[in-house]
Amino acid sequence: MDLKEKIIEVKSYLSQYEKLNQALSLIYWDMRTNMPSKAGESRSEVLEYLSGESFKMITSPKIGEFIKDLSQNKSEMNLQERRMLEELERNYNETKKIPKDRYVAFVGVCSNSELAWERAKKENDFEIFKPHLEKVVEFQKEFINYWGYKIDKYDTLLDKYELGLTTNKLDKIFSELKDGIIEILNNLKSSKKTIKRDFLFGNFDTKKQKDLSLLILEKIGFDLSAGRLDESIHPFTTNFGNKDVRLTTNYHEDEFTSALFSTIHEGGHGIYEQNISDNLENTGLQTGSSMAIHESQSRFYENILGRSKEFCSYLLPIAKKYFEDFKAVTLDEFYEAMNYVETSLIRTEADELTYGLHIIIRYEIEKELINGKITVDDLKGLWNKKYKEYLGVEPKNDSEGVLQDTHWSDGSFGYFPSYALGNLYGAQIFHKLLEEKPEVMDEVKNGNLTEITNWLKEKVHVHGAVYTPNELIENITGEDLNPKYFIDYLKNKYYKIYNIK
Amino acid sequence: MDLKEKIIEVKSYLSQYEKLNQALSLIYWDMRTNMPSKAGESRSEVLEYLSGESFKMITSPKIGEFIKDLSQNKSEMNLQERRMLEELERNYNETKKIPKDRYVAFVGVCSNSELAWERAKKENDFEIFKPHLEKVVEFQKEFINYWGYKIDKYDTLLDKYELGLTTNKLDKIFSELKDGIIEILNNLKSSKKTIKRDFLFGNFDTKKQKDLSLLILEKIGFDLSAGRLDESIHPFTTNFGNKDVRLTTNYHEDEFTSALFSTIHEGGHGIYEQNISDNLENTGLQTGSSMAIHESQSRFYENILGRSKEFCSYLLPIAKKYFEDFKAVTLDEFYEAMNYVETSLIRTEADELTYGLHIIIRYEIEKELINGKITVDDLKGLWNKKYKEYLGVEPKNDSEGVLQDTHWSDGSFGYFPSYALGNLYGAQIFHKLLEEKPEVMDEVKNGNLTEITNWLKEKVHVHGAVYTPNELIENITGEDLNPKYFIDYLKNKYYKIYNIK
């Protein structure tokens, strides 16, 4: 059989695997958005069963043969085919190391743990979640033993989301980021500027917030005929192919920005997925380059665009149409309120500047937890201690503290750094965009983001996972990931807002 | 291996089959309620793939062995075990007759056909749907050839929904039903009674309709923590076990009753599914006894209860709270308006009396279509002709004519008679209920349906498919299905409303 035929055979197999995983993702999406409360147990069983089938497919000897056959033809392969083989090999080898019954058990533990987290957050009680989280952490440690590790156990988890990332590399990046943030924060202390933002709090009818969210989504380039916006406790994005991309948000009647920026954030993820090339279907590459690159897009739309003066200038008149409270607000007031800097408790609602500290706290805690230096019992205390130390704030309850994020409930340890790296990637890409198209932000004032989205589509989105994150940032900007761009961006923006010379 | 162990083994296998089918049902539900328009094609592929897997599981040689093993122990089995074996055998043998590739192709054709029907109905154009329907009909005929038939091809389809039902039997039942309806209709013509119902038409905020629907659902006994209410073009009920039962309805801003009675109808299906015993999990019997028995419950809640004077007495003050328009309406006016008899175009909105004629029209058309006496080309003309002849009305467009129902789009030929049989079963069961508990309707005035729902639960719901429809009606009422009870019920109710002596 020649290479072409073999590739067709592999893709045909992968297409079945892909369909099964689309089904799984949809069932999971439904669990988080729609499922009635009594169905948790039976839903977990469905997820376990299908995950087991998915496990069987990707660890099947057939995949081993595909890899062997394709590897013999590497020299004839084009880039996409080589990357397809690489990813297939990685997925096959990593998954095969885990015993199937343990994998399936983990899926069940996670789905119960997520529901327990939802209950715990609602009832403001970490104790409800704790026994579930303990199981999840034990599974993480067990899996790391299967996968193996060189220096730090946590490296194995980082690598899952960002190929080749290690604590060693990340410590340096985060140290530079932390120093930058602290420097800026210290400088802002000398500012006499007062920023009003009382008008962002009040009573904002959720139906109107929803209408506004949908309008803004379409405006930034999300295709609602190939996607949806729903509600869930913790906003997330999932997709089944590039023609059914689903975002969720979470409306708060008492304030204006939370749902809106969650929507724009998830919209950034969604636009990425929708724009990935059809040609990558059934290659395993019809997905983001890495989770940090994914977050670079969501954080880009949320902050660099969404909180820009140009976008505020477009948004304010619309906001005035929806909500009386903005009637007397000027553009400067609106823009400044959107970018008010304050050390605070909730990551997803943190300003752009202090956001990185929230991530660094989680990163430090996860490293210790995964390396067994602390246990789940220590989490709450350590969380509160670090928030006090880094941000000067203390949670009054579990929901605004250790329970605020969903990530640990489904075992996404190692994911949080992606958000901060996303900020760095995003700023570096934005710097390049402005170099190539210095006037590009002007049109944003009219709500026209087409040129920006098209540029991102061409540079980032269409390629899916054909390039690794390192290759992608090098291709676009001509250099490796460099925190300087983000720190410069922060200085530039916030010194201006706070009148720092 | 002894019988007990074998049963455990079979149930364990069936539990996997059940999980796969729950996944399929959920994906299908999502297609009808949530899926973005561009995802139709990829969704069909997911449905095809999983249906193929489901086909493989139920036609596996393993099932053949189970059947052989269990059959040797029939004498030791209890009723539930025997029925489990019977249903397994039936499912296995029927499915095995169809080649897998044809089964999978049919699933794909149906999912595309359903989406085409939605478009066609929206755009009011039968031509959009016609080529899809032609394929569906061809598949039906092909499948009948695999399954075989004795006298009439259509018998094979009837038997799918109502075990043992034939056109021969049904012709007699429907002839008696038709005569009864015509007799009553003729008598009503002499009535001088005028019934106002203008207050049922106007402007009814759909958000309020939704709140009211949810309130009424809970009142009649549907558990919203084990189910949901959503929207779709054609209302339907689906479920994934008995703890996740999903209803849909369809709100019309310009009138009051359509969504409400759709909700109560689907609520009847939903209550049945929620009440089926947990013990029947993974036996293949955790489902209704037949589709006609299922419809007996939905039509019972919708009409016998929902359109009773007692229920109207409960509903009217609530309706007044939601909608100003009802302020001056008296109970008699409300009750009579709810039961206004008029030959009309839309089955789901037809009154209880003329409803049967809508079914008989569909039954007659389906028989001819399946037996090749007419083609899809003839459908529209024949539909309009029969509506003129039986009901004296003519559709002005396809949406209120041949396109009104979704059933043909997914190949549910043979289903429609279930609705009319449901009315007959329902009235016969109601007659028995009143014999046993003559005062039972009194509490309905207070919105208390507990005693009725508990009685139905004990007599019908908990048993799932342990009894065949014939056994069930015999167990409950001591006799076979008898149309007389429904005709008597109609005479009694409508002669009173229309002052016929």
Side-chain angles (χ1 to χ4, degrees), chain B residues 323-367:
Chain B
F323 301 108
E324 281 272 309
D325 296 26
F326 295 129
K327 216 166 55 185
V329 177
T330 67
L331 173 59
D332 279 336
E333 285 170 341
F334 194 63
Y335 170 62
E336 287 166 5
M338 292 293 192
N339 291 288
Y340 179 76
V341 172
E342 179 185 50
T343 54
S344 64
L345 288 164
I346 308 293
R347 174 184 62 84
T348 55
E349 284 159 30
D351 58 77
E352 233 177 330
L353 176 62
T354 58
Y355 185 90
L357 299 177
H358 293 261
I359 297 304
I360 290 168
I361 289 173
R362 285 156 179 76
Y363 168 63
E364 291 175 356
I365 291 177
E366 287 191 357
K367 265 198 306 185

Side-chain angles (χ1 to χ4, degrees), chain A residues 30 38 223 225 228 246, chain B residues 30 34 38 223 225 246:
Chain A
D30 182 84
K38 286 185 182 162
D223 178 358
S225 66
R228 294 176 53 85
R246 303 197 179 186
Chain B
D30 183 84
N34 286 323
K38 286 184 181 163
D223 178 359
S225 67
R246 302 197 178 186

Side-chain angles (χ1 to χ4, degrees), chain B residues 435-449:
Chain B
E435 240 179 44
E436 284 191 15
K437 297 174 178 287
E439 315 293 326
V440 80
M441 292 297 286
D442 289 350
E443 268 300 298
V444 174
K445 289 180 204 158
N446 308 316
N448 181 2
L449 278 69

Side-chain angles (χ1 to χ4, degrees), chain A residues 14-25:
Chain A
L14 287 181
S15 95
Q16 301 198 328
Y17 178 64
E18 184 56 32
K19 279 172 197 124
L20 183 57
N21 285 317
Q22 286 189 14
L24 262 164
S25 300

